[in-house]
Amino acid sequence: GFSVAIYDVTSRSIYLRWSKFSGASSYRVTATAVNTVGHSLLAHFSDVTLKGTLTSLIPNTIYAIQAEAIDKNGIILAETQIVQSTAPDTPVIEQAYSKLSNSITVEWRAVPGATSYLLTAQDGDSFIETVVTNSPGTVTGLKPATLYRITLRSINSGGKSQPSPFRKAKTVLAAPVLSVSAPSCDSIAMSWQAVYMAAGFSVSLMRSDGLGRMLTENTTNTSVVFTDLDSGTLYTIKACAWSVNGIPGDDFTYNQRTSPKAPADVQVAFNSGALRAIVSWMPTEGALTYSVTVSSGLLKLKCNTSSASCMVPSLRCGSEYYVSVTAYNDAGSSKPTDAVSLKTIPCAPVNISIEEDEPGRFLVSWSSVNFGHYYVVFVKSDDGLEVHCNTSHTQCHFQSDCGFTYFISVFAYNKAGQSPLGDVFNYTTAPCCPSDFRAAVVSSDTVRVTWAPVRGAEVYETRAVSGSGVLLCNDTAAACTFSALPCNTRYNITVHSFSEARRSNTSCASKYVATAPCSPEIKNISKEALSVVSVHWQSNNEEATYIVTARGEAGLRHCTSSGNSCTLINLPCGSAFSVSAIARSPAGQSLPSYSVPLETAPCCPDDLILTQVTQSVTNISWSVGMGAQTYITTLESPKGQAKCHTLENYCLLGCITCGTTYTVSLKAISETGVTASCTYQGYSSSVCCPSGVKLYRLGNNGIRVYWRASDEMINYNTDLQGSKGNFTCTPSSGLSYCDITEIPCGDIYTVVVSPITDKGPKLTFCPKKIYS
């Protein structure tokens, strides 16, 4: 719980603080130089003092510092130790000077052990610090023409030394900030704001490529103009301010180009098809961009480019333009060139009209246009064939056919070329009559009508007429579909063609078509036999043949009739079917009727096995019956009945009377309750076991077994089973006892008396006696 910490270090001092220790009346601190023999320092502090200073230390030296807490008897209660290095020795500034207006450079001799140095420039209450690694070092971020106090401290891992004796240094003047312009192609003018503490200015100018001589101007003013310069040429300008002591400040460097001369040899090439002009010229020295001006009256078009040519789009037809070019660079612009004249092509003809003056022929006319020397009319039909008419008049005649659309355009021409494309007109002649069509029933309530397309028809109207009304279908395709039609209905169908431009209606021959029969409705299903059912429906079409289909996992079953019922045979037991019916006639096939579920009775198990477990309990097992979910087995006799209802394929029946013949029956029941009654061969229960069995000893090696017979007509058998052997005794008919002799003595025997049966194995469930 006792610790010491360092909170400051200089070249010859270390500042400590430590934690208060309970019971201590004083503290003792010892500092011993690690690598210097015999140099140590000892200091004592009272119990109220928790910090102290070790002075007169050696710079750049590592000390082992030990702090001890001592009680009033001089006993050391606790101690702790740390290692700390002193800072390097204080450096000495040799010189400080300024070369730039925002910095001062300082030079000094290196201090042993210093890893870096802290430069401080102080101006009144403000100061700027910079850490450098060696001499010389520069402190930046200073104000121009300002006197600073410069100090220097050495630094190592232990801390910082005391500041060096200060030196004074003044930053040089700031550079003047020029505002430069090129008022003409051979002059450059510049001006600037006054610079703090400046007594004069020096400005020099020279071509940036190094050619020619340098021009220099010294002045106390704040502006200078250089003349007789080369046009479009880049010049480099340098300017600086001078102090009253003749010391120059920072340089300001600026590049300025003189404006260019006007371009020469302007050429104009006109593109008549695109209504645009390509203007070209000889490049001008020093020009970065060019501007082309194309004017016609109050309209002015401009094109800017960095190359020696420019494309001027969107010229107007039938106009005269004047073209001039101006060169530009970052200094300004040249004078525009002399204007060059440009005449354009004529405009497209207007007021075009088309009329069919007689069948198979139409007339195209238009208004004349300015500067139009002659006209060409192009007429292209929608099958790709094109004809034209060349005339100096304002109208032309053309041949036409029915059902065609013609696209008509008129161009005017002069020496400049062809006029732009004007409005393209179309003219449609009356459509032709639709060709032969077909009407076919595609489903029970849908009729599709198709025909060959006809020339000029934009819309077709298909009309279907029946006794109940008229159906209309409009479409642009050469086909129409009538859906949701009433079943078993006769329609008269016709097709009409129309053109929106030349509305016309031509009727073609009509055709009759009948829809498919109506869907039958199954009324009921009756079971005629185990695998035979009759299906009854309501007949609604005398020409129809009805097909009944039963679908299920067992496959398909069909029957056909022209009446209102038919019989499905050979239906497998234990199967589920979905029964539906369709009607079929020459008009087509109806939709299927709604399906009616049909379930046949479950299959009777193929075999049934009865095994007597005890005298009154019998086990019955059977194979699984297809379609059955539960079973009811019954054993019935005049003496009583035994019954079992189960989900399994076996059952234990109790209360069986021995020596009785039973009738065996089984009911297989489906999940929905459909029942199949199954009858099997009769079953006789086993003969009753004897009662009153008693044992009598016959000497040491004999035994008499006595019983009371359940029936005088039954013979019995006696069995003795022991570890030394098994013995059997069968008495004469009619006797109710049996003697067994010569059996080994000293053994325990199990004695069973059971009736002798004609069938099956010996009974094992009669009661047993123990004889020792």
Side-chain angles (χ1 to χ4, degrees):
F2 182 57
S3 62
V4 65
I6 306 296
Y7 67 89
D8 195 10
V9 175
T10 63
S11 302
R12 299 182 181 276
S13 300
I14 295 178
Y15 298 86
L16 308 168
R17 65 163 60 95
W18 52 86
S19 60
K20 186 175 182 62
F21 195 82
S22 177
S25 62
S26 65
Y27 299 94
R28 181 170 58 204
V29 180
T30 305
T32 304
V34 174
N35 296 322
T36 303
V37 178
H39 185 80
S40 62
L41 180 68
L42 177 64
H44 287 270
F45 302 94
S46 67
D47 61 332
V48 296
T49 304
L50 297 180
K51 62 171 61 176
T53 304
L54 299 177
T55 59
S56 301
L57 303 180
I58 303 173
N60 192 36
T61 301
I62 298 175
Y63 283 89
I65 301 171
Q66 179 172 297
E68 297 168 325
I70 303 172
D71 67 4
K72 60 184 179 179
N73 297 320
I75 297 174
I76 299 174
L77 302 178
E79 65 180 8
T80 184
Q81 181 172 309
I82 59 174
V83 176
Q84 175 64 44
S85 173
T86 55
D89 208 352
T90 303
V92 177
I93 298 175
E94 293 183 345
Q95 61 175 331
Y97 52 87
S98 173
K99 291 185 177 180
L100 297 175
S101 62
N102 67 338
S103 68
I104 292 176
T105 299
V106 181
E107 295 180 3
W108 66 92
R109 280 196 301 272
V111 176
T115 58
S116 60
Y117 299 88
L118 178 65
L119 273 173
T120 303
Q122 186 172 2
D123 171 27
D125 294 334
S126 66
F127 60 89
I128 296 177
E129 292 182 337
T130 301
V131 176
V132 296
T133 57
N134 48 42
S135 176
T138 301
V139 56
T140 59
L142 307 181
K143 294 181 291 185
T146 302
L147 184 64
Y148 285 91
R149 285 165 56 103
I150 308 298
T151 58
L152 180 67
R153 301 175 75 176
S154 60
I155 303 173
N156 67 3
S157 60
K160 302 174 186 176
S161 71
Q162 295 291 343
S164 67
F166 69 86
R167 285 288 189 99
K168 291 186 177 182
K170 189 175 185 179
T171 52
V172 297
L173 299 178
V177 179
L178 302 184
S179 176
V180 185
S181 64
S184 65
C185 64
D186 63 348
S187 65
I188 292 177
M190 59 202 76
S191 61
W192 56 90
Q193 296 291 331
V195 176
Y196 174 66
M197 300 296 290
F201 303 93
S202 176
V203 182
S204 61
L205 178 144
M206 186 175 182
R207 283 179 60 123
S208 297
D209 56 10
L211 300 178
R213 62 187 182 86
M214 178 183 292
L215 303 177
T216 302
E217 183 78 24
N218 294 321
T219 181
T220 57
N221 297 325
T222 57
S223 63
V224 168
V225 177
F226 291 92
T227 58
D228 296 330
L229 304 179
D230 298 329
S231 62
T233 301
L234 183 65
Y235 285 88
T236 298
I237 303 165
K238 284 191 176 183
C240 69
W242 291 81
S243 68
V244 293
N245 298 326
I247 299 174
D250 290 345
D251 282 343
F252 181 92
T253 302
Y254 191 89
N255 289 327
Q256 175 65 45
R257 190 182 302 274
T258 53
S259 58
K261 290 183 179 180
D265 193 20
V266 177
Q267 301 290 329
V268 180
F270 180 68
N271 186 324
S272 60
L275 271 177
R276 62 189 183 188
I278 304 297
V279 183
S280 59
W281 54 89
M282 291 296 293
T284 299
E285 178 70 28
L288 301 179
T289 59
Y290 301 90
S291 178
V292 178
T293 302
V294 180
S295 60
S296 175
L298 297 177
L299 176 66
K300 285 190 177 183
L301 301 176
K302 284 189 175 293
C303 171
N304 298 319
T305 181
S306 59
S307 62
S309 65
C310 194
M311 186 269 290
V312 182
S314 305
L315 300 179
R316 295 185 302 181
C317 57
S319 300
E320 183 175 7
Y321 290 90
Y322 295 95
V323 181
S324 63
V325 183
T326 305
Y328 290 85
N329 63 13
D330 50 7
S333 63
S334 69
K335 294 181 179 180
T337 62
D338 294 336
V340 177
S341 176
L342 167 65
K343 294 181 180 180
T344 62
I345 57 176
C347 295
V350 294
N351 299 325
I352 299 173
S353 65
I354 305 161
E355 58 180 334
E356 196 168 359
D357 51 359
E358 59 182 74
R361 172 171 149 162
F362 61 87
L363 173 68
V364 180
S365 59
W366 59 91
S367 298
S368 62
V369 296
N370 291 332
F371 311 120
H373 296 169
Y374 64 97
Y375 304 90
V376 177
V377 182
F378 294 91
V379 177
K380 186 174 184 178
S381 59
D382 52 10
D383 63 354
L385 181 64
E386 185 177 73
V387 296
H388 70 276
C389 166
N390 191 335
T391 180
S392 59
H393 300 289
T394 58
Q395 64 178 20
C396 273
H397 282 90
F398 293 92
Q399 297 296 322
S400 62
D401 293 319
C402 71
F404 274 84
T405 297
Y406 295 93
F407 300 92
I408 300 159
S409 55
V410 183
F411 292 90
Y413 290 82
N414 63 13
K415 291 182 180 180
Q418 174 185 292
S419 70
L421 175 64
D423 294 334
V424 178
F425 293 84
N426 63 68
Y427 180 78
T428 303
T429 56
C432 302
C433 177
S435 59
D436 189 29
F437 67 92
R438 293 183 298 170
V441 178
V442 295
S443 67
S444 61
D445 65 346
T446 303
V447 173
R448 182 168 177 81
V449 184
T450 59
W451 58 90
V454 295
R455 222 354 124 174
E458 297 175 358
V459 178
Y460 298 94
E461 180 185 84
T462 307
R463 182 183 297 264
V465 181
S466 68
S468 60
V470 179
L471 299 176
L472 295 178
C473 172
N474 293 309
D475 204 335
T476 57
C480 189
T481 300
F482 293 101
S483 57
L485 300 177
C487 56
N488 199 27
T489 304
R490 185 177 174 86
Y491 287 91
N492 184 20
I493 298 178
T494 57
V495 179
H496 304 269
S497 62
F498 293 86
S499 168
E500 186 176 347
R502 297 293 302 277
R503 188 168 184 83
S504 177
N505 189 341
T506 304
S507 296
C508 295
S510 62
K511 290 187 177 183
Y512 286 92
V513 65
T515 56
C518 297
S519 298
E521 180 183 357
I522 297 176
K523 293 298 184 181
N524 64 7
I525 298 176
S526 60
K527 296 184 179 179
E528 304 297 332
L530 187 62
S531 61
V532 178
V533 298
S534 292
V535 183
H536 303 267
W537 61 85
Q538 180 178 348
S539 176
N540 52 28
N541 193 321
E542 295 180 356
E543 298 180 357
T545 298
Y546 295 89
I547 302 171
V548 177
T549 302
R551 291 179 173 84
E553 293 183 357
L556 299 176
R557 301 290 188 275
H558 302 280
C559 67
T560 305
S561 173
S562 59
N564 57 5
S565 67
C566 70
T567 302
L568 294 169
I569 61 174
N570 297 328
L571 297 177
C573 60
S575 300
F577 294 92
S578 178
V579 181
S580 63
I582 62 170
R584 185 177 292 166
S585 73
Q589 178 175 298
S590 74
L591 292 172
S593 69
Y594 294 121
S595 296
V596 176
L598 170 63
E599 182 180 3
T600 58
C603 298
C604 288
D606 293 335
D607 49 38
L608 185 139
I609 300 173
L610 292 91
T611 304
Q612 188 136 3
V613 180
T614 67
Q615 188 168 285
S616 64
V617 177
T618 298
N619 181 62
I620 304 178
S621 62
W622 55 90
S623 59
V624 176
M626 178 68 73
Q629 185 186 52
T630 62
Y631 303 89
I632 298 177
T633 56
T634 305
L635 296 182
E636 192 166 9
S637 73
K639 295 181 180 181
Q641 184 189 68
K643 183 181 289 187
C644 174
H645 193 180
T646 180
L647 285 164
E648 311 296 337
N649 61 337
Y650 60 87
C651 189
L652 282 175
L653 291 176
C655 300
I656 301 299
T657 304
C658 57
T660 303
T661 300
Y662 287 90
T663 300
V664 182
S665 65
L666 181 143
K667 287 185 179 181
I669 306 171
S670 73
E671 185 178 356
T672 60
V674 179
T675 303
S677 297
C678 310
T679 303
Y680 296 89
Q681 185 177 358
Y683 165 70
S684 296
S685 61
S686 64
V687 179
C688 297
C689 293
S691 60
V693 177
K694 297 180 179 180
L695 307 179
Y696 300 92
R697 184 189 306 277
L698 296 178
N700 288 332
N701 59 351
I703 185 174
R704 171 171 286 185
V705 182
Y706 175 81
W707 60 87
R708 189 167 49 251
S710 61
D711 191 333
E712 294 180 355
M713 302 300 294
I714 297 174
N715 293 327
Y716 293 89
N717 186 69
T718 302
D719 290 316
L720 271 75
Q721 294 181 348
S723 62
K724 297 181 179 181
N726 298 329
F727 303 90
T728 302
C729 173
T730 303
S732 300
S733 177
L735 296 179
S736 58
Y737 67 91
C738 188
D739 294 335
I740 303 174
T741 59
E742 298 181 358
I743 60 176
C745 59
D747 200 359
I748 297 174
Y749 293 92
T750 301
V751 182
V752 178
V753 181
S754 57
I756 300 174
T757 59
D758 297 334
K759 55 183 178 178
K762 187 183 297 183
L763 299 180
T764 61
F765 50 75
C766 288
K768 300 174 182 177
K769 296 283 186 174
I770 303 298
Y771 173 69
S772 175

